[in-house]
Amino acid sequence: MTIDILMATYNGGSYIENQILSLIGQTHKDWKLLIHDDISDDDTISIVKRYQLLDSRILLIEDNFKAGGASNNFLHLLKFSKNELIIFCDQDDIWFENKLELLHRAYL
């Protein structure tokens, strides 16, 4: 079962790469990362686009919507999620490699 990971970003260029790498390193591989950026003015988008080219599970939603804050940005992302399992992800997190595996097991 695919898990949708929703990441709301804004000026996260300093740390988003480490979070994306922690997602790619998950032991549970059946996930999709949906990212919506709140019109950052740093290198957040270029970092995301680089990883989007490397991993087809990463999807950047580019719709020029200005959410005006993390909570509205996450709510906006929910519109794009199609899977039964959803987890929210902060751009400055670093996840333990088995986080999604444990979530998936708990759901079953």
Side-chain angles (χ1 to χ4, degrees):
M1 178 176 294
T2 303
I3 300 171
D4 280 349
I5 305 167
L6 307 184
M7 182 189 294
T9 62
Y10 178 72
N11 286 344
S14 297
Y15 27 76
I16 193 168
E17 184 169 17
N18 287 328
Q19 174 56 335
I20 291 173
L21 288 171
S22 79
L23 297 176
I24 291 171
Q26 290 294 301
T27 54
H28 181 86
K29 302 294 184 189
D30 191 7
W31 54 263
K32 182 165 52 168
L33 174 60
L34 305 170
I35 301 172
H36 184 267
D37 186 74
D38 208 9
I39 316 208
S40 293
D41 57 13
D42 69 352
D43 60 347
T44 300
I45 295 295
S46 63
I47 293 168
V48 170
K49 285 184 175 184
R50 183 166 28 109
Y51 280 96
Q52 187 176 14
L53 291 173
L54 297 173
D55 194 317
S56 62
R57 298 173 295 178
I58 299 171
L59 174 64
L60 175 64
I61 297 162
E62 297 183 272
D63 59 2
N64 292 318
F65 175 75
K66 176 74 172 158
S71 59
N72 285 337
N73 201 355
F74 278 117
L75 288 173
H76 182 67
L77 270 167
L78 281 170
K79 298 174 192 173
F80 300 94
S81 179
K82 304 292 184 218
N83 289 306
E84 191 172 333
L85 289 176
I86 300 169
I87 188 166
F88 296 97
C89 174
D90 289 328
Q91 63 187 3
D92 60 349
D93 284 349
I94 295 179
W95 287 4
F96 289 114
E97 65 186 11
N98 64 343
K99 181 173 181 147
L100 291 179
E101 183 180 338
L102 294 173
L103 172 70
H104 186 255
R105 261 196 242 152
Y107 180 76
L108 297 177

